[in-house]
Amino acid sequence: MRRLVSSLPGAFHPLRQPILPVQKAWQQFGAYVNLISSHRFFSFGLFIFSLTFIDRIEAVVTAKLLQQFKESILWSHAMRHCFIHLLLWVGLLNAPWATAVPRIVNGEMAQAGAQPWMAALLEKGSVPLRAAHFCGGTLIQPRIVLTSAHCVIDYRPAEIEVLLDSDSLRPPYRGERIAVSALVTHPQYDHWTLNNDIALILLARPSTQTPLAIDAGTATLLTSLDPGKRAVALGWGETYPSDQTIPPVPEDLDCIVTTIGQNTPLAGQFDCLIYPNRGSSELLRVELPLVDPATCRTVYKDWLADTMLCAGYAEGGKDTCTGDSGGPLLVDIGERMVQIGITSWGTGCAQPESYGIYTAVWPYRDWISRRAGQLTFQAACPRAPELSVSQEAIAASGQTRVILSWNAVDNAEAYTLFYVQPPHFDAIHHLDMGMARQFSADLDPGQAYLVALQARNARCASPFSNVEWVEP
């Protein structure tokens, strides 16, 4: 993660992301570290370590963990309490590992409105946006965002939102905020080496912004990628070099409004937690020279794969950093900017002889085209409807009226009802229901059917609904 673990001690090696957890308890340990250290919880006065304050923080963290793991927290209350207390002390002492996840170091403000395709990945439901933001991305098709695999590997689609056409994460918020329908990481993504660190996000609806062109491997572009060629990286990530101590109280403070609502025991006991944020609220850009792979391998040895690009200065000073992961590395080919890389990882931020590493887009052009096409096609297909059955007796005739009903499905242009009458299971009949949402039939005693429904449009049909047994 450029750079989820960018400031871990050297013993953890240059990867900017956490070691892959293999035990649920270890996952929860890592989640506690990430949540507490990245939010940098603190307060002022003697009440900072009061039981009430600790309990409030624990409630927020525990709620997030329950949301993530969907099961009871393994640790006891006392263990969680002591661990949070310890992390608060570490955060106040500004421990080197207690950082959030890369941002542009020594860059400049991006031109307002010039990059509507730039995406901020947000944790859904988190506020403010500076706290919700965790990675970047780029809109490459109306419903497809390109990002790093390590940014989304531990998320579910319902947990993420994408913000487009916004240069600022400060109120008043502007831009286009869209939910996520699907996440697809490269099938050969390696969490340890960050090989194949690339992923696609399917938006719940098409964006109205103009997509960014990506590297298609054209001869014109390939000849422009000589070492020393200036590239541009964008992001909202860390703005301090990893060897620089940040001020204990930054000039600007954001307030995290917790999700503890009116229906909880802690309702009304506090409004927010204040934390220092070392990232930028405004979208930043930085120019970085491309670095020859042979030169880069003198630093990273075999960690540098053929599908990675290297950019930065030998003397350091300018770089992407934690929080910039997933964002673009761009080059100017004359008439337009083209994305050639995705911010991925590095050792520290803006350090001498520690270049930034980017996933090259060109080697994955076929995979991007194929998977993006599949995602877009599948998104255009209707979902399976849900079929329900009810009955009512007809006293006059002794028959039973069977009523079939189903929900409306997005993208459906018609519904088809399928039925089979035992024992002739090989004879499947169907009725075109048009856009109707209900069908009824009067059945005699002894008549029985298996029924199912399918939604369809001009492009494709949905899977079958639930199959129901209908018998008077």
Side-chain angles (χ1 to χ4, degrees):
M1 306 189 154
R2 194 175 182 142
R3 311 184 177 203
L4 192 52
V5 199
S6 61
S7 56
L8 283 174
F12 284 87
H13 197 53
L15 298 186
R16 295 178 184 183
Q17 65 181 56
I19 297 174
L20 182 65
V22 294
Q23 299 288 339
K24 183 62 69 176
W26 181 246
Q27 284 183 322
Q28 293 181 356
F29 170 81
Y32 266 92
V33 171
N34 191 40
L35 283 169
I36 295 293
S37 63
S38 65
H39 286 81
R40 308 294 291 274
F41 289 112
F42 78 97
S43 182
F44 301 97
L46 297 177
F47 64 92
I48 182 169
F49 291 134
S50 68
L51 292 177
T52 303
F53 185 75
I54 299 295
D55 285 341
R56 291 169 183 175
I57 293 177
E58 182 182 341
V60 176
V61 175
T62 301
K64 283 184 173 291
L65 290 180
L66 284 171
Q67 184 182 38
Q68 177 178 351
F69 295 110
K70 304 300 182 186
E71 62 184 66
S72 297
I73 302 300
L74 297 181
W75 294 356
S76 68
H77 172 81
M79 290 176 66
R80 295 196 304 268
H81 189 89
C82 292
F83 186 65
I84 292 172
H85 206 141
L86 173 63
L87 286 178
L88 280 167
W89 273 109
V90 172
L92 287 172
L93 293 174
N94 198 29
W97 55 268
T99 62
V101 221
R103 307 199 178 176
I104 300 294
V105 178
N106 289 325
E108 60 186 10
M109 295 271 289
Q111 182 181 350
Q115 42 281 317
W117 34 260
M118 183 66 192
L121 306 191
L122 310 174
E123 289 188 351
K124 191 171 184 178
S126 296
V127 290
L129 292 191
R130 287 181 70 186
H133 169 266
F134 63 93
C135 271
T138 47
L139 184 75
I140 60 170
Q141 294 181 18
R143 291 193 67 174
I144 300 294
V145 169
L146 181 66
T147 189
S148 295
H150 77 252
C151 283
V152 298
I153 192 70
D154 293 323
Y155 284 93
R156 294 184 294 272
E159 298 172 334
I160 299 177
E161 290 180 312
V162 173
L163 179 66
L164 295 158
D165 192 30
S166 180
D167 303 305
S168 177
L169 300 180
R170 286 186 181 279
Y173 303 132
R174 59 175 295 273
E176 190 176 21
R177 201 162 173 173
I178 306 177
V180 171
S181 292
L183 302 169
V184 177
T185 57
H186 194 278
Q188 294 177 314
Y189 166 63
D190 190 316
H191 192 79
W192 289 93
T193 66
L194 289 187
N195 284 342
N196 307 302
D197 189 17
I198 186 171
L200 299 176
I201 299 174
L202 176 67
L203 301 178
R205 59 175 175 83
S207 170
T208 60
Q209 311 308 317
T210 301
L212 174 67
I214 62 172
D215 179 0
T218 62
T220 302
L221 181 57
L222 292 176
T223 56
S224 71
L225 298 185
D226 296 327
K229 169 75 176 180
R230 294 283 173 155
V232 174
L234 294 164
W236 288 275
E238 299 285 348
T239 54
Y240 290 85
S242 54
D243 63 347
Q244 181 177 336
T245 301
I246 66 171
V249 181
E251 295 178 359
D252 54 338
L253 296 176
D254 278 337
C255 180
I256 301 179
V257 180
T258 67
T259 56
I260 297 179
Q262 288 74 22
N263 298 323
T264 69
L266 297 179
Q269 292 191 27
F270 68 109
D271 296 322
C272 63
L273 299 171
I274 304 297
Y275 80 109
N277 189 311
R278 55 190 261 164
S280 173
S281 293
E282 311 302 325
L283 181 63
L284 299 181
R285 71 189 298 275
V286 64
E287 288 193 5
L288 302 167
L290 297 178
V291 178
D292 181 72
T295 302
C296 202
R297 281 196 175 90
T298 63
V299 176
Y300 293 117
K301 311 301 181 186
D302 293 338
W303 290 96
L304 187 71
D306 292 336
T307 54
M308 297 175 183
L309 295 173
C310 196
Y313 295 89
E315 66 274 19
K318 293 186 176 184
D319 201 358
T320 49
C321 192
T322 306
D324 292 321
S325 288
L329 184 69
L330 312 164
V331 295
D332 189 344
I333 61 171
E335 70 280 6
R336 60 178 178 168
M337 298 293 286
V338 173
Q339 182 174 0
I340 62 169
I342 306 167
T343 304
S344 183
W345 61 278
T347 302
C349 300
Q351 299 303 294
E353 302 295 341
S354 296
Y355 307 107
I357 305 300
Y358 303 80
T359 302
V361 172
W362 179 76
Y364 301 98
R365 65 195 187 283
D366 292 338
W367 178 81
I368 292 172
S369 177
R370 183 178 67 257
R371 291 299 284 129
Q374 292 171 346
L375 286 172
T376 304
F377 181 84
Q378 293 168 2
C381 294
R383 292 177 293 104
E386 297 178 4
L387 182 63
S388 61
V389 180
S390 61
Q391 298 183 6
E392 57 185 42
I394 305 175
S397 64
Q399 295 178 308
T400 299
R401 178 160 297 160
V402 174
I403 302 170
L404 306 178
S405 57
W406 51 92
N407 61 307
V409 175
D410 292 341
N411 299 325
E413 298 174 358
Y415 300 93
T416 302
L417 180 66
F418 294 85
Y419 63 96
V420 174
Q421 186 172 23
H424 309 292
F425 291 103
D426 56 341
I428 302 176
H429 306 278
H430 67 274
L431 294 173
D432 186 357
M433 296 288 100
M435 289 299 290
R437 299 265 304 284
Q438 192 176 87
F439 173 79
S440 63
D442 296 342
L443 303 183
D444 294 323
Q447 285 184 293
Y449 297 90
L450 284 172
V451 296
L453 195 71
Q454 194 175 49
R456 69 178 193 277
N457 59 29
R459 298 183 62 181
C460 49
S462 75
F464 283 106
S465 69
N466 48 306
V467 178
E468 297 289 339
W469 176 261
V470 176
E471 183 177 13

